[in-house]
Amino acid sequence: MDRELIKRSQPGDMNADDELFSKYENKLYKFAFVYVKNEHDAIDLVQDVTYRSSKAIHTLKEPSYYKTWLIRILMNCAADLICTKNTYEQGVTSLIMKDTTLDIDVKVTLNNVMNFLTKEEKDVVLLKYYEDYTFKQIADCLEMMKIGSTKTILYQALKKLKVALEKEATTYEQFKR
């Protein structure tokens, strides 16, 4: 289905482009919200991705990578927005742990510890645990040469998160008393 819509979109069929993009719009919004932590900017990012993707759909060589291609565009747009605003806020909260019943303390802790990661580490963590991407898909999406580099970045990020969570837990236990 996507392949057919992409083939129709590439020469300029706007109806096919709209139908295709609408299939991924909600997922893109959620991903955008992780980067900017507010509804207004997340909506702006999705609109920017809509515009950029429809202008560049003709450059997509492999239709099976459409979703990955959109996420890459979103990451680039988010980086542009963040550089423009000169902030890099992350709101991962329940996205890493898909359990929406997490209590507020856990959500705040997750949000705080993600600030210890670099942009590249955050991207890898989000793609691995939010999008369930394989290491190869992450490497392709982030344009990394080797899958091993992706694994290394993820393991470094997880190590940093573990240390940060242990510090947060210690602080939280002291605060709770």
Side-chain angles (χ1 to χ4, degrees), residues 39-172:
E39 184 179 345
H40 178 72
D41 286 342
I43 290 169
D44 285 349
L45 279 177
V46 172
Q47 288 175 343
D48 200 14
V49 172
T50 304
Y51 174 74
R52 289 185 189 190
S53 66
S54 67
K55 297 263 305 170
I57 187 78
H58 67 280
T59 65
L60 181 63
K61 292 180 175 101
E62 180 54 49
S64 62
Y65 290 125
Y66 180 73
K67 180 182 171 188
T68 301
W69 182 70
L70 285 177
I71 290 173
R72 186 67 191 159
I73 293 171
L74 176 71
M75 289 175 154
N76 289 335
C77 291
D80 292 347
L81 178 68
I82 289 164
C83 286
T84 301
K85 288 187 161 202
N86 199 21
T87 61
Y88 195 86
E89 299 175 335
Q90 293 295 316
V92 170
T93 57
S94 61
L95 293 179
I96 291 175
M97 303 173 88
K98 294 176 182 176
D99 183 356
T100 57
T101 62
L102 292 174
D103 66 13
I104 193 69
D105 294 328
V106 173
K107 289 179 182 179
V108 169
T109 299
L110 285 173
N111 194 24
N112 289 341
V113 297
M114 286 300 286
N115 290 325
F116 289 100
L117 302 181
T118 65
K119 179 190 181 313
E120 188 174 58
E121 290 168 338
K122 290 174 191 176
D123 290 345
V124 171
V125 168
L126 289 172
L127 289 172
K128 181 68 177 162
Y129 295 106
Y130 177 61
E131 290 295 324
D132 295 323
Y133 273 28
T134 65
F135 287 112
K136 178 167 181 5
Q137 289 171 319
I138 295 169
D140 289 345
C141 185
L142 298 178
E143 299 173 347
M144 294 180 175
M145 297 285 254
K146 298 179 182 178
I147 294 172
S149 300
T150 306
K151 289 179 181 179
T152 301
I153 292 167
L154 178 66
Y155 297 134
Q156 287 172 345
L158 292 176
K159 189 175 179 180
K160 282 183 181 179
L161 287 173
K162 182 181 178 196
V163 169
L165 281 171
E166 287 171 353
K167 285 181 183 177
E168 286 285 327
T170 303
T171 304
Y172 178 69

